[in-house]
């Protein structure tokens, strides 16, 4: 490859979903020059773009806010923080109102009151409007430009990133005053809708500069899908009855623990569903709310309200889980100076504890954390001297700078990692006797990737880094899972089925060669980041 194309900016945003776009908006409004790099095409890539999603939008009324905060506290193992929930509810309310006016989003109107209904968005239109808004503000968007590694200065401050531009077939380097990682979570290339760009790249880059993680044990989300499909809309299955292969009703599958029942049953037989609990009004609302959910049925000649269809579970990892890069102040700064995290890349424990679902809290967290991270990164960058390209070094290793000549391909590494992370008998129906050997296999795989995973040039390095990232995320997940010897939130341990009051804390983790774990008190908002 020729010498990389180089540019400089105040704030670099890595990602192209809602968290990244809101970060770009607020960084720009704070007075910073902003460059946004996306692995795909900003506005169409990621889990939000192809989906309809609810938003945790609650009017500032005391009772409504109290009920909203209480709704998932028990499910999350009482690890959420009311201070952060209040902040997110306030910021989301403001952002959704701004989306209607400045973002020009066409919210539907209540025919009775004439008021706009702002409790949800259609992903394609939402992200189209966000891209247009970001561009109007003067943000430079680099599409199809995956970031491959972070750049740091001599003091270890994160000051940019290097990557590859697919369409131009060239490397690039962006020197920046600060970086926002809004690159999404990790779904292990499970093919869940919109998640093929969500391979944990941000987590890998953050780990390489020494960032701390939190709640990685809460990263075992699985979604119900029609067999062979990629379209996840688990909320709709609240209207379903589930059946054994022989036609008997599968008891317990429609409860709050229903996916565990389905997962256990799928180990030995097929499972079928029928959305027979939705009346005519609900059916119409469902079709309007998520049209692409029904395309898969229409094309197969299935009426999901009257016909039974086979179902499966797809891993969604940290995209629907709550674990991620730890944040240590109100600006979503990480433990590494110059680095900020938002959306699925960051831990969502502050508002969800150890449990989350589809949209709602996730959507609210993306726009809120993105707003704070963008503003915080801009303020940090504007206090700093401009970054000097010559003084910056890349921090990437696995997939970029192998230590030896031993060879492992990206395809081999991905397949090996998926074998330990996707089967729900390992990652969902958790037991120490299954987690420990899975972790040992991932540790061995990591050593192999560091030694011999070489992506070469261009697109090969993108695939290699994805493989390394999936492996790194898996090791953080399972090490954290073994450190929580109880059942709390999403992390249910068959060998530790009870809730242990002595473990009412967050599991912290980090590291690459050796993954470490620790704990911090729940509802801790006093930790400060070194500047």
């Amino acid at each position: 490859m020729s010498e990389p194309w180089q540019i400089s900016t105040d704030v670099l945003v890595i990602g192209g979903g809602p968290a990244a776009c809101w970060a770009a908006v607020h960084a720009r409004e704070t007075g910073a020059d902003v460059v946004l790099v996306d692995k795909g095409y900003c506005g169409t890539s990621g889990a939000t773009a192809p989906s309809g999603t609810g938003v945790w939008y609650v009017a500032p009324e005391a009772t409504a806010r109290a009920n909203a905060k209480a709704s998932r506290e028990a499910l999350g193992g009482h690890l959420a923080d009311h201070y952060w929930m209040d902040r997110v509810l306030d910021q989301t309310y403001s952002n959704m109102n701004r989306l209607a006016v400045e973002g020009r989003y066409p919210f539907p109107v209540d025919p009775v009151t004439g008021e706009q209904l702002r409790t949800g968005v259609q992903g394609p239109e939402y992200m189209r409007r966000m891209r247009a808004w970001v561009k109007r503000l003067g943000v430079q968007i680099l599409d199809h430009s995956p970031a491959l590694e972070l750049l740091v200065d001599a003091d270890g401050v994160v000051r940019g990133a290097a990557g590859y531009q697919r369409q131009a077939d060239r490397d690039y380097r962006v020197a920046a005053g600060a970086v926002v990682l809004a690159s999404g979570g990790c779904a292990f290339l499970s093919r869940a809708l919109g998640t093929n760009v969500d391979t944990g790249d941000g987590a890998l880059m953050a780990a390489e500069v020494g960032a701390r993680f939190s709640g990685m044990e809460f990263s075992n989300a699985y979604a119900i899908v029609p067999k062979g499909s990629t379209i996840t809309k688990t909320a709709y299955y609240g209207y379903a009855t589930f059946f054994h292969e022989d036609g008997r009703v599968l008891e317990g599958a429609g409860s709050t623990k229903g996916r565990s029942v389905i997962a256990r049953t799928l180990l030995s037989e097929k499972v079928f569903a029928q959305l027979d609990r939705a009346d005519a009004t609900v059916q119409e609302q469902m079709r309007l709310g998520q049209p692409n959910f029904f395309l898969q049925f229409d094309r197969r000649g299935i009426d999901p309200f009257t016909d039974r269809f086979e179902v499966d579970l797809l891993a969604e990892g940290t995209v629907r889980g709550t674990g991620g890069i730890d944040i240590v102040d109100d600006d979503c700064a990480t433990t590494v100076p110059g680095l900020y995290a938002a959306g699925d890349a960051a831990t969502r424990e502050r508002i969800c504890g150890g449990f989350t679902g589809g949209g709602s809290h996730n959507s609210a967290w993306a726009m809120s954390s993105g707003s704070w991270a963008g503003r915080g990164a801009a303020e940090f960058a504007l206090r700093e001297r401009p970054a000097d390209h010559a003084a910056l070094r890349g921090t990437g290793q696995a997939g970029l700078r192998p230590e030896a000549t031993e060879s492992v391909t990206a395809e081999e590494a991905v397949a090996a990692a998926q074998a330990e992370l996707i089967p729900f008998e390992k990652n969902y129906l958790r037991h120490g006797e299954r987690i420990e050997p899975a972790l040992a296999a991932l540790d061995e795989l990591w050593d192999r990737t560091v030694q011999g995973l070489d992506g070469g040039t261009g697109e090969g390095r993108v695939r290699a880094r994805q493989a390394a990232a999936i492996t790194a995320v898996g090791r953080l997940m399972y090490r954290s899972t073994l450190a929580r010897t109880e059942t709390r939130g999403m992390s249910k341990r068959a060998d530790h089925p009870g809730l242990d009051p002595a473990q009412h804390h967050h599991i912290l983790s980090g590291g690459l060669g050796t993954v470490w774990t620790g704990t911090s008190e729940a509802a801790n908002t006093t930790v400060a980041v070194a500047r």
Side-chain angles (χ1 to χ4, degrees), residues 152-356:
V152 298
D153 64 16
D155 297 321
V157 179
V158 174
R159 302 297 297 273
Y164 172 68
Q165 288 194 292
R166 287 170 156 142
Q167 293 180 325
D169 189 24
R170 67 181 179 185
D171 291 341
Y172 71 83
R173 283 168 61 95
V174 180
V179 173
V180 177
L181 275 176
S183 51
C186 182
F188 322 123
L189 288 174
S190 68
R191 297 177 61 251
L193 184 66
T195 66
N196 269 18
V197 294
D198 295 324
T199 51
D201 307 359
L204 175 61
M205 291 187 282
E208 287 172 332
V209 297
R212 187 175 71 196
F213 294 76
S214 182
M216 291 301 289
E217 70 276 26
F218 304 125
S219 301
N220 59 326
Y222 283 76
I224 304 171
V225 295
K227 182 71 173 179
S229 173
T230 64
I231 299 178
T232 59
K233 193 64 179 175
T234 299
Y236 279 9
Y237 292 94
Y239 295 97
T241 301
F242 295 89
F243 302 90
H244 288 276
E245 194 169 358
D246 63 8
R248 290 176 296 122
V249 171
L250 180 57
E251 299 295 341
S255 68
T256 56
K257 299 180 180 180
R259 268 171 280 185
S260 297
V261 174
I262 293 169
R264 284 193 294 270
T265 306
L266 283 171
L267 294 177
S268 59
E269 62 172 297
K270 297 177 181 179
V271 174
F272 293 81
Q274 180 181 336
L275 305 180
D276 53 3
R277 296 166 56 198
D279 60 27
T281 300
V282 171
Q283 290 179 27
E284 182 179 359
Q285 292 171 343
M286 292 167 73
R287 283 192 173 272
L288 287 173
Q290 188 75 42
N292 63 357
F293 176 82
F294 294 94
L295 285 176
Q296 58 191 329
F297 297 112
D298 294 342
R299 289 169 176 167
R300 299 180 192 180
I302 295 172
D303 182 342
F305 301 112
T306 60
D307 301 332
R308 296 178 187 177
F309 54 93
E310 188 178 354
V311 296
D312 200 356
L313 298 176
L314 284 185
E316 294 182 305
T318 65
V319 175
R320 297 287 191 223
T322 69
I325 303 166
D326 198 17
I327 51 177
V328 296
D329 69 7
D330 286 1
D331 291 333
C332 293
T334 72
T335 53
V336 181
L339 183 65
Y340 297 75
D344 294 349
T347 179
R348 240 187 324 262
E349 292 170 289
R350 302 293 184 271
I351 66 164
C352 293
F355 174 86
T356 184

Side-chain angles (χ1 to χ4, degrees), residues 109-122:
V109 175
D110 187 320
V112 177
T113 65
E115 297 291 326
Q116 285 191 337
L117 301 173
R118 298 179 181 173
T119 56
V121 291
Q122 286 293 335

